Amino acid sequence: MEELRAILHSIIKNQEETNAKISELNLQLSAKIGETNARIDDLNVKIGQVDARLSAKIDQVDARLTARIDALDAKIDEVNTGLGAKIDFLDARLDRVHLSLQSQIDDVGTDVRHIKRSMRLFENDMDATLDRIKRLEDHTAKHPE
């Protein structure tokens, strides 16, 4: 029985030593977990700082790009307005040139009709003159005086 007690006492002592080691390991593990959590918290703070800096830089770049895009849009509008005015000017000028050319064409047409009429009158006069000359020659041939 003494032996059983000694074995039991040994088992209890081993269990107490094991429990003490487990407690010690739990404390070490808790300390390590606490250190790891502290590191994670530090990393989260650093990530937050980096995120804030990146967000600020992205906002700056976005603001600059927006300003440039707005400036380009304004310039495009200005160019389009200028081109529209130039197109209107050229269109009006083309209309004036067209009207002038049409007037000149009409004038040339009138001149051509006058020339044709004058040519017909001249041909008629020439025909009449040739007819008179022919009659005069015939008359002179019949009556040589």
Side-chain angles (χ1 to χ4, degrees), residues 103-120:
S103 174
Q104 290 174 11
I105 288 169
D106 292 345
D107 290 347
V108 167
T110 301
D111 291 345
V112 166
R113 283 191 297 278
H114 285 345
I115 290 170
K116 283 183 178 179
R117 189 165 45 98
S118 295
M119 292 283 289
R120 277 194 307 272

Short mmCIF file of all heavy atoms in Angstrom, two decimals, residues 103-120:
data_model
loop_
_atom_site.label_atom_id
_atom_site.label_comp_id
_atom_site.label_asym_id
_atom_site.label_seq_id
_atom_site.Cartn_x
_atom_site.Cartn_y
_atom_site.Cartn_z
N SER A 103 -23.46 86.10 -110.71
CA SER A 103 -23.75 87.37 -111.39
C SER A 103 -22.86 87.53 -112.62
O SER A 103 -23.33 87.94 -113.69
CB SER A 103 -23.51 88.52 -110.42
OG SER A 103 -23.65 89.75 -111.08
N GLN A 104 -21.57 87.16 -112.46
CA GLN A 104 -20.65 87.25 -113.60
C GLN A 104 -21.06 86.28 -114.71
O GLN A 104 -21.02 86.62 -115.90
CB GLN A 104 -19.21 86.98 -113.17
CG GLN A 104 -18.63 88.08 -112.31
CD GLN A 104 -17.26 87.73 -111.76
OE1 GLN A 104 -16.66 86.75 -112.17
NE2 GLN A 104 -16.78 88.53 -110.83
N ILE A 105 -21.49 85.09 -114.32
CA ILE A 105 -21.95 84.10 -115.31
C ILE A 105 -23.18 84.65 -116.03
O ILE A 105 -23.30 84.54 -117.26
CB ILE A 105 -22.25 82.74 -114.62
CG1 ILE A 105 -20.94 82.06 -114.21
CG2 ILE A 105 -23.06 81.83 -115.54
CD1 ILE A 105 -21.12 80.85 -113.31
N ASP A 106 -24.10 85.23 -115.25
CA ASP A 106 -25.30 85.82 -115.87
C ASP A 106 -24.90 86.94 -116.83
O ASP A 106 -25.45 87.04 -117.95
CB ASP A 106 -26.25 86.35 -114.80
CG ASP A 106 -26.87 85.23 -113.96
OD1 ASP A 106 -26.80 84.05 -114.39
OD2 ASP A 106 -27.41 85.53 -112.88
N ASP A 107 -23.94 87.79 -116.41
CA ASP A 107 -23.47 88.89 -117.27
C ASP A 107 -22.85 88.34 -118.55
O ASP A 107 -23.11 88.86 -119.66
CB ASP A 107 -22.46 89.78 -116.54
CG ASP A 107 -23.09 90.59 -115.44
OD1 ASP A 107 -24.34 90.67 -115.38
OD2 ASP A 107 -22.33 91.16 -114.60
N VAL A 108 -22.03 87.29 -118.42
CA VAL A 108 -21.41 86.68 -119.59
C VAL A 108 -22.49 86.10 -120.50
O VAL A 108 -22.44 86.24 -121.74
CB VAL A 108 -20.37 85.61 -119.18
CG1 VAL A 108 -19.95 84.76 -120.36
CG2 VAL A 108 -19.16 86.26 -118.53
N GLY A 109 -23.49 85.46 -119.89
CA GLY A 109 -24.59 84.92 -120.68
C GLY A 109 -25.31 86.00 -121.45
O GLY A 109 -25.64 85.84 -122.64
N THR A 110 -25.55 87.13 -120.79
CA THR A 110 -26.20 88.26 -121.46
C THR A 110 -25.32 88.78 -122.59
O THR A 110 -25.81 89.04 -123.70
CB THR A 110 -26.48 89.39 -120.44
OG1 THR A 110 -27.31 88.87 -119.41
CG2 THR A 110 -27.14 90.58 -121.08
N ASP A 111 -24.02 88.92 -122.30
CA ASP A 111 -23.08 89.38 -123.34
C ASP A 111 -23.07 88.42 -124.52
O ASP A 111 -23.06 88.86 -125.69
CB ASP A 111 -21.67 89.53 -122.77
CG ASP A 111 -21.55 90.70 -121.79
OD1 ASP A 111 -22.47 91.54 -121.76
OD2 ASP A 111 -20.53 90.75 -121.06
N VAL A 112 -23.05 87.13 -124.25
CA VAL A 112 -23.04 86.12 -125.33
C VAL A 112 -24.32 86.24 -126.16
O VAL A 112 -24.28 86.19 -127.39
CB VAL A 112 -22.86 84.70 -124.75
CG1 VAL A 112 -23.17 83.63 -125.79
CG2 VAL A 112 -21.45 84.52 -124.20
N ARG A 113 -25.47 86.44 -125.50
CA ARG A 113 -26.72 86.59 -126.25
C ARG A 113 -26.68 87.85 -127.13
O ARG A 113 -27.10 87.82 -128.28
CB ARG A 113 -27.91 86.63 -125.28
CG ARG A 113 -28.29 85.26 -124.74
CD ARG A 113 -29.62 85.30 -124.00
NE ARG A 113 -29.61 86.17 -122.83
CZ ARG A 113 -29.15 85.81 -121.62
NH1 ARG A 113 -28.66 84.60 -121.44
NH2 ARG A 113 -29.20 86.66 -120.62
N HIS A 114 -26.13 88.95 -126.57
CA HIS A 114 -26.01 90.19 -127.37
C HIS A 114 -25.08 89.96 -128.57
O HIS A 114 -25.37 90.41 -129.68
CB HIS A 114 -25.47 91.34 -126.51
CG HIS A 114 -26.47 91.93 -125.57
ND1 HIS A 114 -27.82 91.72 -125.65
CD2 HIS A 114 -26.29 92.78 -124.52
CE1 HIS A 114 -28.43 92.37 -124.70
NE2 HIS A 114 -27.53 93.03 -123.98
N ILE A 115 -23.96 89.28 -128.31
CA ILE A 115 -23.01 89.02 -129.39
C ILE A 115 -23.66 88.14 -130.46
O ILE A 115 -23.52 88.41 -131.67
CB ILE A 115 -21.71 88.38 -128.85
CG1 ILE A 115 -20.92 89.41 -128.02
CG2 ILE A 115 -20.85 87.81 -129.96
CD1 ILE A 115 -19.76 88.83 -127.24
N LYS A 116 -24.39 87.11 -130.03
CA LYS A 116 -25.07 86.24 -131.00
C LYS A 116 -26.09 87.04 -131.81
O LYS A 116 -26.20 86.89 -133.04
CB LYS A 116 -25.76 85.08 -130.28
CG LYS A 116 -24.84 83.99 -129.85
CD LYS A 116 -25.63 82.85 -129.22
CE LYS A 116 -24.73 81.71 -128.82
NZ LYS A 116 -25.50 80.63 -128.18
N ARG A 117 -26.85 87.90 -131.12
CA ARG A 117 -27.84 88.71 -131.82
C ARG A 117 -27.14 89.66 -132.80
O ARG A 117 -27.53 89.80 -133.96
CB ARG A 117 -28.68 89.51 -130.83
CG ARG A 117 -29.86 90.20 -131.48
CD ARG A 117 -30.88 90.68 -130.47
NE ARG A 117 -30.32 91.35 -129.32
CZ ARG A 117 -30.23 92.67 -129.17
NH1 ARG A 117 -30.67 93.47 -130.12
NH2 ARG A 117 -29.72 93.19 -128.09
N SER A 118 -26.03 90.27 -132.32
CA SER A 118 -25.26 91.18 -133.20
C SER A 118 -24.70 90.41 -134.39
O SER A 118 -24.69 90.92 -135.52
CB SER A 118 -24.13 91.84 -132.43
OG SER A 118 -24.64 92.68 -131.42
N MET A 119 -24.23 89.19 -134.14
CA MET A 119 -23.69 88.37 -135.23
C MET A 119 -24.79 88.04 -136.24
O MET A 119 -24.57 88.08 -137.45
CB MET A 119 -23.08 87.08 -134.69
CG MET A 119 -21.84 87.26 -133.87
SD MET A 119 -20.40 87.59 -134.86
CE MET A 119 -20.15 86.02 -135.61
N ARG A 120 -25.99 87.70 -135.74
CA ARG A 120 -27.10 87.41 -136.66
C ARG A 120 -27.47 88.65 -137.46
O ARG A 120 -27.68 88.58 -138.68
CB ARG A 120 -28.31 86.90 -135.86
CG ARG A 120 -28.26 85.42 -135.53
CD ARG A 120 -29.61 84.90 -135.05
NE ARG A 120 -30.19 85.66 -133.95
CZ ARG A 120 -29.96 85.45 -132.65
NH1 ARG A 120 -29.17 84.47 -132.29
NH2 ARG A 120 -30.54 86.20 -131.75
#
